[in-house]
Amino acid sequence: MRLLISDNSKYDQYLRGEAKLTDTEEFGRKLFMAHPDVKVSLRGGNCIDCHSQFLTSGFRDGLDGFSNNGLDSDEDLHEGLMALTKDPLDRGLFKVPTLRNIAVTAPYMHDGRFATLEEVMEHYNSGIKISDTLSPLILEADNQKADPDQATGLQLHDDEVQAIIAFLHTLTDENFLTNSKFSNPFEASK
Amino acid sequence: MMHQRYMILGAALLISAFAALKAYDWLYPAKTSVKLVFHAEVDGSPFQRNEFAYSNPGGDGQFRIRDFRFYLSNFRLEGSDGLIQSIPDSYHLARFDNAENSYVLEFDDLPVQQLQSISFAIGVDAAANTSIQTRGDLDPNSQMAWNWKVGYKFVLFEGAMQRDGKQTPLVYHVGFSDNMRRLTFDMATPMELVQGAQLDFTVDVMKLFDSTSTVDMARLSSVKFDKADARMLAENYRTMIALKAQ
């Protein structure tokens, strides 16, 4: 049963050809969907490597929807998926959540360590901690790329970070959030 | 006398019934099936994930495989009688992260009785690659999708390189419709597709980096959108699948 479906965000309207994104949102959408490749001068936020392009959730094939996104180094890496599979390859892997309505569902990360989307972006941009099971895609995704040993994140410019956040706001579905049919059935409706 | 006549009649009936059955077989041959098993290996060594067990073919260092998967598509089976069966919507994501390190495919309901050759592609044809329609294992929301403008990754290899005590990431994502490679395997002798018929293939991961071109994986540690690099790896993966002797 999937009765609560958010499908009327600005991004959905854009996908259906009903709405246009602003220049900033469109810039952010392109960065969201791109894995950076310095060799061909492609800049990217690398989001799509874990957040699927239309659903923005983790991948659904097997355990593909779990990832180590560089929150902690090996010494204090949480157990994550390994608690279930007992496979050391799965240490520190957590479920990639959907980004729909992400702007209104703080705090962020599996332990809620970040309060704002700005903090989340700062993590991906310059706060990546290296560990053995860290996703190679996160480690390798660097828009400046000189020395991979120095990699700490995407190294995007401020306007690029702001554009991605603007795009994330297009995933907010007011219709879904305020629909009285989806409200608490045990409270009297207003 | 009567007795003999009945015997002849009975024999005639039996023969015609038998002939009818033979004709039925000939007109409506039984449907067949075949199982294809792809066994991953690395230059003759067992395929394993997470061990720095393999040598960089073009330079220093040892590498490990975190993830390796690729699309197989457009299967075509040819019978010894010239009958050709194309498998519709055959887009299959081969992955090897299981206990046997193998990928198994089964095709049922085939008209082909004796298999003469089998042909398939590594990658996805342009029509399907540029569409967001889900079919077979093609899913625009999957890990293999780049985005709907670019299409799918055909072959994905992710891992790490260890060199001088340091680890660096390896990311090879090869796509673009031009890089689909069709392979054809002819049977030494036609193969009867009877119950339990199975074809075994080896998939040598090392060929991706060491075949037509030899790659120094420390220097070229990632391939994604550079067309020349992608084409070079496509020429290499063209050779990575081999049919095992039956």
Side-chain angles (χ1 to χ4, degrees), chain B residues 93-158:
Chain B
L93 180 60
R95 51 190 296 175
F96 304 91
D97 50 343
N98 53 56
E100 292 78 30
N101 298 317
S102 66
Y103 175 67
V104 181
L105 258 182
E106 233 168 328
F107 296 128
D108 297 320
D109 232 12
L110 301 170
V112 173
Q113 303 295 306
Q114 283 191 317
L115 187 66
Q116 183 64 59
S117 80
I118 182 166
S119 163
F120 52 83
I122 299 176
V124 179
D125 54 279
N129 194 34
T130 51
S131 157
I132 58 167
Q133 191 192 328
T134 57
R135 52 190 131 183
D137 288 340
L138 295 181
D139 173 1
N141 277 308
S142 80
Q143 190 176 350
M144 295 302 274
W146 255 316
N147 63 54
W148 75 87
K149 293 259 166 57
V150 189
Y152 289 93
K153 302 157 193 170
F154 294 172
V155 175
L156 177 150
F157 176 106
E158 291 165 13

Side-chain angles (χ1 to χ4, degrees), chain B residues 187-233:
Chain B
M187 305 300 125
T189 52
M191 179 187 183
E192 291 283 347
L193 294 189
V194 290
Q195 186 79 37
Q198 179 172 330
L199 284 171
D200 289 279
F201 297 87
T202 54
V203 179
D204 183 357
V205 185
M206 190 61 100
K207 286 281 201 298
L208 183 59
F209 307 107
D210 193 10
S211 176
T212 311
S213 304
T214 299
V215 179
D216 180 349
M217 298 164 73
R219 268 192 59 230
L220 187 68
S221 61
S222 114
V223 170
K224 290 164 311 232
F225 296 115
D226 185 88
K227 298 255 172 179
D229 289 344
R231 194 179 320 116
M232 176 192 68
L233 291 186

Side-chain angles (χ1 to χ4, degrees), chain A residues 11-20:
Chain A
Y11 179 52
D12 294 306
Q13 292 169 12
Y14 156 81
L15 289 173
R16 293 195 294 259
E18 298 164 6
K20 267 193 90 152

Side-chain angles (χ1 to χ4, degrees), chain A residues 81-101:
Chain A
L81 183 60
M82 183 182 149
L84 193 72
T85 63
K86 308 294 174 206
D87 185 346
L89 281 172
D90 292 335
R91 187 180 177 82
L93 272 64
F94 288 89
K95 189 173 188 296
V96 176
T98 176
L99 299 182
R100 287 175 174 276
N101 296 307

Side-chain angles (χ1 to χ4, degrees), chain A residues 11 14-15 29 33-40 42 48-49 52-56 58-64 87-89 93 132-137 139-140 145 148-149, chain B residues 49-50 52 64 66-67 69 93 95 97 132 139-149 153 158-160 166-171 173 220-227 229:
Chain A
Y11 179 52
Y14 156 81
L15 289 173
R29 186 191 68 80
M33 302 295 166
H35 184 98
D37 191 339
V38 177
K39 198 159 179 180
V40 295
L42 177 70
I48 196 177
D49 278 338
S52 60
Q53 60 179 327
F54 301 119
L55 300 174
T56 72
F59 306 119
R60 294 168 295 172
D61 195 5
L63 296 173
D64 287 356
D87 185 346
L89 281 172
L93 272 64
D132 197 50
T133 59
L134 173 61
S135 162
L137 293 173
L139 191 54
E140 188 262 356
K145 186 70 133 238
D149 295 340
Chain B
R49 295 163 72 230
N50 213 38
F52 287 92
R64 76 175 171 196
R66 170 54 60 88
D67 199 350
R69 52 180 86 181
L93 180 60
R95 51 190 296 175
D97 50 343
I132 58 167
D139 173 1
N141 277 308
S142 80
Q143 190 176 350
M144 295 302 274
W146 255 316
N147 63 54
W148 75 87
K149 293 259 166 57
K153 302 157 193 170
E158 291 165 13
K166 275 189 221 151
Q167 279 182 33
T168 46
L170 299 173
V171 176
H173 293 174
L220 187 68
S221 61
S222 114
V223 170
K224 290 164 311 232
F225 296 115
D226 185 88
K227 298 255 172 179
D229 289 344

Side-chain angles (χ1 to χ4, degrees), chain A residues 121-140:
Chain A
M121 285 307 298
E122 195 180 316
H123 163 70
Y124 287 121
N125 210 32
S126 59
I128 295 297
K129 305 251 179 40
I130 311 280
S131 62
D132 197 50
T133 59
L134 173 61
S135 162
L137 293 173
I138 284 187
L139 191 54
E140 188 262 356

